[in-house]
């Protein structure tokens, strides 16, 4: 056999070796992460549930998912062990502010358009009515034709049939 015929087989075997090596490396990292779990740390399961570790045993983990809700999971079902800041940000919505002296950027543009609190108070006093106006309040030119149509409908429903 020549080297040209063996070259594709050698390349395939090398590629398979590299793929299995990277998969084993990822599995080892996941196992190390799961072994570092301690009671009180926040975790995310592979199903997407966030909880706090209550107890850790050899193959199982007892999770506290809420007040009075304790769940028993296999260790392999833990997808990620989260840092305290990340867990609080995701579950409780608490942002850890590293730059407390920095300017606060508002969530909306209302603070950029109003100059002071007096302008806010003046804006609250004005009521804008976006609803329909009653016909009794403001009679319009459309009211007369509407009444004529209503009279015609009443005459037709009185029993007068024009199709005899």
């Amino acid at each position: 056999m020549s080297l040209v015929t063996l070259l594709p087989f050698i390349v395939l075997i090398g590629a398979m070796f590299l793929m299995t090596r990277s998969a084993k490396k990822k599995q080892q990292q996941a196992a190390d992460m799961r072994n570092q779990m301690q009671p009180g740390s926040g975790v995310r399961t592979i199903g997407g549930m966030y909880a706090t570790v209550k107890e850790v045993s050899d193959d199982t983990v007892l999770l506290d998912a809420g007040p009075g809700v304790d769940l028993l999971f296999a260790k392999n079902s833990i997808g990620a062990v989260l840092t305290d800041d990340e867990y609080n940000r995701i579950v409780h919505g608490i942002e850890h502010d590293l730059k407390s002296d920095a300017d606060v950027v508002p969530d909306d543009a209302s603070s950029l358009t109003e100059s002071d609190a007096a302008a806010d108070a003046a804006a609250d006093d004005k009521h804008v009515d976006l609803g329909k106006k009653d016909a009794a309040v403001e009679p319009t030119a459309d009211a007369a034709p509407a009444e004529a149509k209503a009279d015609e409908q009443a005459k037709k429903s009185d029993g007068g049939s024009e199709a005899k």
Side-chain angles (χ1 to χ4, degrees):
M1 287 191 151
S2 69
L3 183 64
V4 176
T5 58
L6 290 177
L7 187 63
F9 294 112
I10 293 171
V11 170
L12 285 174
I13 292 171
M16 290 174 55
F17 174 74
L18 290 176
M19 285 190 290
T20 57
R21 183 174 168 214
S22 66
K24 284 182 183 179
K25 192 180 218 183
K26 287 181 183 179
Q27 286 177 349
Q28 185 63 36
Q29 287 176 345
D32 291 342
M33 180 246 339
R34 290 181 186 115
N35 289 332
Q36 292 176 357
M37 280 188 299
Q38 297 175 356
S41 61
V43 295
R44 181 184 66 234
T45 64
I46 57 174
M49 184 183 73
Y50 293 92
T52 306
V53 176
K54 198 169 184 180
E55 288 180 17
V56 179
S57 64
D58 292 336
D59 295 331
T60 61
V61 179
L62 184 65
L63 300 178
D64 181 21
V69 180
D70 293 337
L71 304 168
L72 186 64
F73 277 84
K75 251 188 181 179
N76 291 339
S77 66
I78 303 300
V81 177
L82 307 172
T83 63
D84 290 339
D85 292 337
E86 186 177 10
Y87 182 78
N88 286 332
R89 179 182 59 82
I90 292 170
V91 175
H92 303 295
I94 300 171
E95 293 287 335
H96 182 68
D97 190 15
L98 297 176
K99 299 177 184 177
S100 60
D101 297 335
D103 293 335
V104 177
V105 178
D107 289 339
D108 59 352
S110 63
S111 64
L112 301 174
T113 57
E114 298 292 331
S115 61
D116 58 344
D120 290 338
D124 289 340
D125 292 340
K126 297 177 186 175
H127 293 293
V128 178
D129 185 21
L130 300 176
K132 290 184 174 182
K133 303 273 184 189
D134 289 337
V137 175
E138 292 182 24
T140 60
D142 294 337
E147 290 175 7
K149 287 181 182 177
D151 289 339
E152 288 178 24
Q153 290 294 336
K155 289 178 183 176
K156 286 183 182 178
S157 62
D158 287 339
S161 175
E162 299 173 6
K164 285 189 180 178

